[in-house]
Amino acid sequence: MKKIIFIMAVAGITAFSCTPKTVPTANTQTATADNLAQGKTIYENSCGKCHDLPEPTKYDAQKWVGIMNWMAPKAKLTEEQHKLVYDYVISVKK
Ligand code: HEC
């Protein structure tokens, strides 16, 4: 049963990011497709309030670290939400 869940998670990530390798994350944990979907929702709900929703592909993973450190407090994100949003934006491929 565990194995089935694992395969589903991997398949989900693949479908989401179009790459078979695991999605890079802010820490050592692997973002699941579910995490990315959550991150997207938080992003869309929290990050378009003060300005237009920025294009995730406009910045690279390194730039997003700085942007998220700057913007997460503005959007009043929790530590967990900060991470979910970061994992989502860097998972979006051009
Ligand atoms: C409370 C208001 C507020 C919220 C919420 C907010 N921002 Fe911002 N954001 C700003 C302000 C102010 C700037 C400064 C630049 C400007 O005025 O456009 C900015 C700038 C940015 C920039 C740089 C834009 C550029 O032209 O380089 C990015 C990227 C960004 N925000 C992303 C985000 C993300 C991602 C979130 C959600 C986590 C977020 N913002 C939530 C107020 C906010």
Side-chain angles (χ1 to χ4, degrees), residues 2-21:
K2 262 201 183 130
K3 197 173 178 189
I4 292 171
I5 291 167
F6 176 73
I7 290 165
M8 281 168 67
V10 170
I13 290 167
T14 307
F16 204 90
S17 67
C18 308
T19 43
K21 58 182 197 287

Side-chain angles (χ1 to χ4, degrees), residues 43 46-47 50-51 54 59 64 67-68 70-71 74-75 77:
Y43 180 71
S46 312
C47 303
C50 306
H51 44 65
Y59 308 94
W64 272 116
I67 291 166
M68 285 308 296
W70 180 28
M71 289 295 143
K74 282 189 188 292
L77 300 188

Side-chain angles (χ1 to χ4, degrees), residues 39-61:
K40 183 173 195 280
T41 304
I42 299 162
Y43 180 71
E44 287 171 351
N45 290 335
S46 312
C47 303
K49 283 183 189 160
C50 306
H51 44 65
D52 287 345
L53 206 55
E55 203 53 58
T57 54
K58 201 176 159 193
Y59 308 94
D60 61 23

Side-chain angles (χ1 to χ4, degrees), residues 25-26 38-44 46-48 51 53-56 59-91:
T25 57
Q38 276 183 55
K40 183 173 195 280
T41 304
I42 299 162
Y43 180 71
E44 287 171 351
S46 312
C47 303
H51 44 65
L53 206 55
E55 203 53 58
Y59 308 94
D60 61 23
Q62 197 56 47
K63 285 240 172 64
W64 272 116
V65 173
I67 291 166
M68 285 308 296
N69 286 340
W70 180 28
M71 289 295 143
K74 282 189 188 292
K76 298 188 167 54
L77 300 188
T78 63
E79 193 88 342
E80 179 70 14
Q81 290 171 324
H82 178 155
K83 202 170 81 59
L84 288 167
V85 170
Y86 178 77
D87 286 346
Y88 162 67
V89 289
I90 64 162
S91 78

